Amino acid sequence: NDLAGTARYIGMGGSMSALGADLSTMATNPAGTAMYRSNDFAFTAGLNAKTNKANYEGRVTTSDKLNAFVGNTAMLFSMNYDGDWLKYLNFGLGYRYKNNLTGEFEMSGASNGYSQQFVMRQLYNDSPFDFKNLTSWDYTDLNSSWLPLLAANAWLGNGNDFITYPGDSLVWPPSDLAYYEETRGGVHVIDFNLSANIMDRLYLGATVSVSNVDYNRYSAYSEIDDVGAIYTIENDLMLKGTGYDLKLGAICRPFEYSPFKVGVSVHTPTLYYLKEYSWAAITDPDYKTFSTVDSERYGTELFNTTRLSSPWRFNASMSYTFDTYLALNAEYEFAGYSTAEYKGNEYVPLAQNEEIKYNLKSQHTARLGAEINVEGIAVRVGYNYITSPFKRDAYKEMGNASVAETSTDYMNRYEKNIVTCGFGFRGKSLYFDVAYMMEAQKADFYPFYDTEYANPAAKVDCINHTAMATVGMRF
């Protein structure tokens, strides 16, 4: 999950799960909206700049992407019951950008004897076919990646040998490798929140979230020799779908005359119903292109449907306020990514579940936030430390990928540090907040994984800068 919400929420590093009284808390601890005693409406927009610097065997490549986005729009209606035990009953409705996946990435460097062609050859050895008499049935009948089929169409070989000579040396050895990727879209969420204030001591809340997945990824991988490109493989993936989950939360003020509060929340797994469209093409040394959607080879639309269950999440938090001048919040969140699961009747999702258990692990997140408020002017700071959900030796096993999966690349992202700051102004009803966020993360990028010879990774520094502003009104 990205750190996303109102500018006040971002300025405090998203650390408001026990403090509450912000529209964004309906996505972390739904009980946070029970702190409201009036109606609220807010609109948040921002600008994001992503920079990826990849160092592959001494060659450094930098890619940048700038995009504007609407991060959060939400409203809350507060009803005063003033009963013996029920004080307020509040209803909230919000939109948020859960994952902003728009970006660019590229790397290049000397081959040094490593090549994706060895991966192609191994896949062919595991599932051989008659590459001298290719027909459309080769695509419909193959039970593993179509990557060697693309190599056969481009004929990466000579008159007698396919990809490698009998001694396992390449027929077309590359001197350099190059990779480019562009991604667009992400996950958008609508939240329906209900919360209750019980005797001004106990706050309860629930949020039902509906997610919309709209993501596109284009990549191009090339192997080059002294003459030019030996081949280029292009991959285009479009992922669409919906997801549903429930969040339950509680905040308690255990001491009657103390502002100290503790909070807990639990997020059920998001059950995604996904449809994946894919396309791949290879361009040979003579600049001829062969595509998986070529009507002569495969004439129907390439897609796969599946259900994906994300991990459970658990959050514990505490906060303290010093009169109206200083607010502090600290929280911890746990997500067990190794328990994520594909659901379906096909054998491929079961193989992917084994990859999840082998490559992923639990993720731990610590958030700290502080706000100083003097006569309606607030200054905020926040910090997040997020551990990696990937194991250090995680890799992409093409033998367990779907047949339409011909991109061999993968990126293992590691620990993330987020620093935030912001300020805001509160009037009688109108308010305005701005925030800045910097995310720093290191990653290992592999254009492919060679099972016999461990190929090196491109060492990647990922830096994201985000600025956002919120305008709102309480009434």
Side-chain angles (χ1 to χ4, degrees), residues 17-39:
S17 293
L19 190 64
D22 189 271
L23 294 170
S24 298
T25 59
M26 66 177 73
T28 52
N29 187 342
T33 58
M35 304 289 178
Y36 275 94
R37 296 170 179 263
S38 62
N39 304 323

PDB file of all heavy atoms in Angstrom, residues 17-39:
ATOM      1  N   SER A  17      -3.635   6.578  13.507  1.00  0.00           N
ATOM      2  CA  SER A  17      -4.607   5.517  13.743  1.00  0.00           C
ATOM      3  C   SER A  17      -5.199   5.529  15.138  1.00  0.00           C
ATOM      4  O   SER A  17      -6.286   4.982  15.355  1.00  0.00           O
ATOM      5  CB  SER A  17      -3.965   4.151  13.469  1.00  0.00           C
ATOM      6  OG  SER A  17      -3.672   4.019  12.093  1.00  0.00           O
ATOM      7  N   ALA A  18      -4.517   6.121  16.120  1.00  0.00           N
ATOM      8  CA  ALA A  18      -5.100   6.311  17.447  1.00  0.00           C
ATOM      9  C   ALA A  18      -5.535   7.748  17.657  1.00  0.00           C
ATOM     10  O   ALA A  18      -6.478   8.014  18.402  1.00  0.00           O
ATOM     11  CB  ALA A  18      -4.110   5.904  18.536  1.00  0.00           C
ATOM     12  N   LEU A  19      -4.873   8.673  16.986  1.00  0.00           N
ATOM     13  CA  LEU A  19      -5.224  10.088  17.114  1.00  0.00           C
ATOM     14  C   LEU A  19      -6.579  10.381  16.487  1.00  0.00           C
ATOM     15  O   LEU A  19      -7.431  11.061  17.054  1.00  0.00           O
ATOM     16  CB  LEU A  19      -4.143  10.939  16.454  1.00  0.00           C
ATOM     17  CG  LEU A  19      -4.201  12.443  16.679  1.00  0.00           C
ATOM     18  CD1 LEU A  19      -3.997  12.762  18.151  1.00  0.00           C
ATOM     19  CD2 LEU A  19      -3.136  13.133  15.829  1.00  0.00           C
ATOM     20  N   GLY A  20      -6.817   9.852  15.276  1.00  0.00           N
ATOM     21  CA  GLY A  20      -8.106   9.978  14.616  1.00  0.00           C
ATOM     22  C   GLY A  20      -8.427  11.377  14.148  1.00  0.00           C
ATOM     23  O   GLY A  20      -7.547  12.239  13.999  1.00  0.00           O
ATOM     24  N   ALA A  21      -9.724  11.596  13.870  1.00  0.00           N
ATOM     25  CA  ALA A  21     -10.256  12.889  13.441  1.00  0.00           C
ATOM     26  C   ALA A  21      -9.671  13.350  12.109  1.00  0.00           C
ATOM     27  O   ALA A  21      -9.461  14.541  11.901  1.00  0.00           O
ATOM     28  CB  ALA A  21     -10.047  13.950  14.512  1.00  0.00           C
ATOM     29  N   ASP A  22      -9.402  12.393  11.210  1.00  0.00           N
ATOM     30  CA  ASP A  22      -9.001  12.721   9.848  1.00  0.00           C
ATOM     31  C   ASP A  22      -9.686  11.735   8.912  1.00  0.00           C
ATOM     32  O   ASP A  22      -9.818  10.542   9.231  1.00  0.00           O
ATOM     33  CB  ASP A  22      -7.488  12.651   9.685  1.00  0.00           C
ATOM     34  CG  ASP A  22      -7.028  13.199   8.343  1.00  0.00           C
ATOM     35  OD1 ASP A  22      -6.967  12.413   7.376  1.00  0.00           O
ATOM     36  OD2 ASP A  22      -6.752  14.412   8.260  1.00  0.00           O
ATOM     37  N   LEU A  23     -10.098  12.219   7.746  1.00  0.00           N
ATOM     38  CA  LEU A  23     -10.837  11.378   6.812  1.00  0.00           C
ATOM     39  C   LEU A  23     -10.032  10.176   6.338  1.00  0.00           C
ATOM     40  O   LEU A  23     -10.606   9.139   6.006  1.00  0.00           O
ATOM     41  CB  LEU A  23     -11.288  12.218   5.615  1.00  0.00           C
ATOM     42  CG  LEU A  23     -12.316  13.321   5.923  1.00  0.00           C
ATOM     43  CD1 LEU A  23     -12.498  14.235   4.718  1.00  0.00           C
ATOM     44  CD2 LEU A  23     -13.648  12.712   6.338  1.00  0.00           C
ATOM     45  N   SER A  24      -8.708  10.291   6.297  1.00  0.00           N
ATOM     46  CA  SER A  24      -7.873   9.197   5.793  1.00  0.00           C
ATOM     47  C   SER A  24      -7.846   7.998   6.732  1.00  0.00           C
ATOM     48  O   SER A  24      -7.513   6.885   6.303  1.00  0.00           O
ATOM     49  CB  SER A  24      -6.441   9.688   5.567  1.00  0.00           C
ATOM     50  OG  SER A  24      -6.412  10.712   4.595  1.00  0.00           O
ATOM     51  N   THR A  25      -8.210   8.202   8.018  1.00  0.00           N
ATOM     52  CA  THR A  25      -8.121   7.096   8.956  1.00  0.00           C
ATOM     53  C   THR A  25      -9.156   6.014   8.679  1.00  0.00           C
ATOM     54  O   THR A  25      -9.013   4.895   9.195  1.00  0.00           O
ATOM     55  CB  THR A  25      -8.290   7.590  10.406  1.00  0.00           C
ATOM     56  OG1 THR A  25      -9.563   8.225  10.539  1.00  0.00           O
ATOM     57  CG2 THR A  25      -7.176   8.565  10.780  1.00  0.00           C
ATOM     58  N   MET A  26     -10.168   6.293   7.870  1.00  0.00           N
ATOM     59  CA  MET A  26     -11.121   5.237   7.544  1.00  0.00           C
ATOM     60  C   MET A  26     -10.460   4.093   6.768  1.00  0.00           C
ATOM     61  O   MET A  26     -10.990   2.992   6.712  1.00  0.00           O
ATOM     62  CB  MET A  26     -12.317   5.798   6.761  1.00  0.00           C
ATOM     63  CG  MET A  26     -12.036   6.324   5.388  1.00  0.00           C
ATOM     64  SD  MET A  26     -13.566   6.871   4.527  1.00  0.00           S
ATOM     65  CE  MET A  26     -13.969   8.378   5.395  1.00  0.00           C
ATOM     66  N   ALA A  27      -9.245   4.346   6.194  1.00  0.00           N
ATOM     67  CA  ALA A  27      -8.524   3.315   5.452  1.00  0.00           C
ATOM     68  C   ALA A  27      -7.488   2.596   6.307  1.00  0.00           C
ATOM     69  O   ALA A  27      -6.945   1.580   5.873  1.00  0.00           O
ATOM     70  CB  ALA A  27      -7.836   3.925   4.236  1.00  0.00           C
ATOM     71  N   THR A  28      -7.177   3.097   7.520  1.00  0.00           N
ATOM     72  CA  THR A  28      -6.200   2.445   8.391  1.00  0.00           C
ATOM     73  C   THR A  28      -6.869   1.931   9.654  1.00  0.00           C
ATOM     74  O   THR A  28      -6.883   0.734   9.928  1.00  0.00           O
ATOM     75  CB  THR A  28      -5.048   3.398   8.738  1.00  0.00           C
ATOM     76  OG1 THR A  28      -5.594   4.627   9.248  1.00  0.00           O
ATOM     77  CG2 THR A  28      -4.190   3.676   7.526  1.00  0.00           C
ATOM     78  N   ASN A  29      -7.444   2.837  10.458  1.00  0.00           N
ATOM     79  CA  ASN A  29      -8.253   2.439  11.614  1.00  0.00           C
ATOM     80  C   ASN A  29      -9.613   3.120  11.468  1.00  0.00           C
ATOM     81  O   ASN A  29      -9.737   4.326  11.717  1.00  0.00           O
ATOM     82  CB  ASN A  29      -7.597   2.841  12.922  1.00  0.00           C
ATOM     83  CG  ASN A  29      -8.347   2.294  14.133  1.00  0.00           C
ATOM     84  OD1 ASN A  29      -9.514   1.907  14.043  1.00  0.00           O
ATOM     85  ND2 ASN A  29      -7.686   2.258  15.280  1.00  0.00           N
ATOM     86  N   PRO A  30     -10.649   2.371  11.062  1.00  0.00           N
ATOM     87  CA  PRO A  30     -11.959   2.976  10.793  1.00  0.00           C
ATOM     88  C   PRO A  30     -12.568   3.701  11.989  1.00  0.00           C
ATOM     89  O   PRO A  30     -13.465   4.546  11.812  1.00  0.00           O
ATOM     90  CB  PRO A  30     -12.826   1.782  10.389  1.00  0.00           C
ATOM     91  CG  PRO A  30     -11.862   0.743   9.940  1.00  0.00           C
ATOM     92  CD  PRO A  30     -10.643   0.927  10.771  1.00  0.00           C
ATOM     93  N   ALA A  31     -12.097   3.400  13.195  1.00  0.00           N
ATOM     94  CA  ALA A  31     -12.627   4.071  14.382  1.00  0.00           C
ATOM     95  C   ALA A  31     -12.156   5.518  14.477  1.00  0.00           C
ATOM     96  O   ALA A  31     -12.712   6.297  15.262  1.00  0.00           O
ATOM     97  CB  ALA A  31     -12.219   3.304  15.637  1.00  0.00           C
ATOM     98  N   GLY A  32     -11.145   5.897  13.691  1.00  0.00           N
ATOM     99  CA  GLY A  32     -10.634   7.261  13.755  1.00  0.00           C
ATOM    100  C   GLY A  32     -11.661   8.303  13.396  1.00  0.00           C
ATOM    101  O   GLY A  32     -11.620   9.438  13.888  1.00  0.00           O
ATOM    102  N   THR A  33     -12.617   7.967  12.538  1.00  0.00           N
ATOM    103  CA  THR A  33     -13.647   8.949  12.158  1.00  0.00           C
ATOM    104  C   THR A  33     -14.680   9.144  13.259  1.00  0.00           C
ATOM    105  O   THR A  33     -15.472  10.085  13.192  1.00  0.00           O
ATOM    106  CB  THR A  33     -14.362   8.508  10.873  1.00  0.00           C
ATOM    107  OG1 THR A  33     -14.959   7.215  11.076  1.00  0.00           O
ATOM    108  CG2 THR A  33     -13.386   8.431   9.706  1.00  0.00           C
ATOM    109  N   ALA A  34     -14.713   8.285  14.287  1.00  0.00           N
ATOM    110  CA  ALA A  34     -15.654   8.458  15.396  1.00  0.00           C
ATOM    111  C   ALA A  34     -15.304   9.657  16.264  1.00  0.00           C
ATOM    112  O   ALA A  34     -16.117  10.087  17.095  1.00  0.00           O
ATOM    113  CB  ALA A  34     -15.693   7.189  16.244  1.00  0.00           C
ATOM    114  N   MET A  35     -14.101  10.234  16.078  1.00  0.00           N
ATOM    115  CA  MET A  35     -13.702  11.420  16.821  1.00  0.00           C
ATOM    116  C   MET A  35     -14.422  12.682  16.339  1.00  0.00           C
ATOM    117  O   MET A  35     -14.425  13.701  17.023  1.00  0.00           O
ATOM    118  CB  MET A  35     -12.185  11.635  16.679  1.00  0.00           C
ATOM    119  CG  MET A  35     -11.339  10.449  17.103  1.00  0.00           C
ATOM    120  SD  MET A  35     -11.370  10.222  18.875  1.00  0.00           S
ATOM    121  CE  MET A  35     -10.349   8.759  19.025  1.00  0.00           C
ATOM    122  N   TYR A  36     -15.022  12.605  15.143  1.00  0.00           N
ATOM    123  CA  TYR A  36     -15.673  13.785  14.566  1.00  0.00           C
ATOM    124  C   TYR A  36     -16.921  14.160  15.355  1.00  0.00           C
ATOM    125  O   TYR A  36     -17.700  13.297  15.789  1.00  0.00           O
ATOM    126  CB  TYR A  36     -16.053  13.517  13.114  1.00  0.00           C
ATOM    127  CG  TYR A  36     -14.943  13.759  12.119  1.00  0.00           C
ATOM    128  CD1 TYR A  36     -14.118  12.724  11.699  1.00  0.00           C
ATOM    129  CD2 TYR A  36     -14.733  15.027  11.595  1.00  0.00           C
ATOM    130  CE1 TYR A  36     -13.102  12.933  10.772  1.00  0.00           C
ATOM    131  CE2 TYR A  36     -13.724  15.256  10.665  1.00  0.00           C
ATOM    132  CZ  TYR A  36     -12.913  14.201  10.258  1.00  0.00           C
ATOM    133  OH  TYR A  36     -11.908  14.426   9.349  1.00  0.00           O
ATOM    134  N   ARG A  37     -17.145  15.483  15.466  1.00  0.00           N
ATOM    135  CA  ARG A  37     -18.364  16.022  16.051  1.00  0.00           C
ATOM    136  C   ARG A  37     -19.041  16.997  15.096  1.00  0.00           C
ATOM    137  O   ARG A  37     -19.954  17.727  15.484  1.00  0.00           O
ATOM    138  CB  ARG A  37     -18.051  16.730  17.371  1.00  0.00           C
ATOM    139  CG  ARG A  37     -17.505  15.780  18.446  1.00  0.00           C
ATOM    140  CD  ARG A  37     -16.977  16.543  19.642  1.00  0.00           C
ATOM    141  NE  ARG A  37     -16.479  15.635  20.670  1.00  0.00           N
ATOM    142  CZ  ARG A  37     -17.179  15.237  21.731  1.00  0.00           C
ATOM    143  NH1 ARG A  37     -18.432  15.668  21.883  1.00  0.00           N
ATOM    144  NH2 ARG A  37     -16.655  14.421  22.623  1.00  0.00           N
ATOM    145  N   SER A  38     -18.565  17.013  13.847  1.00  0.00           N
ATOM    146  CA  SER A  38     -19.168  17.862  12.812  1.00  0.00           C
ATOM    147  C   SER A  38     -18.933  17.220  11.456  1.00  0.00           C
ATOM    148  O   SER A  38     -18.150  16.266  11.329  1.00  0.00           O
ATOM    149  CB  SER A  38     -18.572  19.278  12.841  1.00  0.00           C
ATOM    150  OG  SER A  38     -17.175  19.235  12.579  1.00  0.00           O
ATOM    151  N   ASN A  39     -19.583  17.719  10.416  1.00  0.00           N
ATOM    152  CA  ASN A  39     -19.410  17.203   9.057  1.00  0.00           C
ATOM    153  C   ASN A  39     -18.089  17.684   8.477  1.00  0.00           C
ATOM    154  O   ASN A  39     -17.554  18.730   8.879  1.00  0.00           O
ATOM    155  CB  ASN A  39     -20.567  17.652   8.167  1.00  0.00           C
ATOM    156  CG  ASN A  39     -21.912  17.243   8.730  1.00  0.00           C
ATOM    157  OD1 ASN A  39     -22.047  16.171   9.307  1.00  0.00           O
ATOM    158  ND2 ASN A  39     -22.917  18.100   8.559  1.00  0.00           N
TER     159      ASN A  39
END
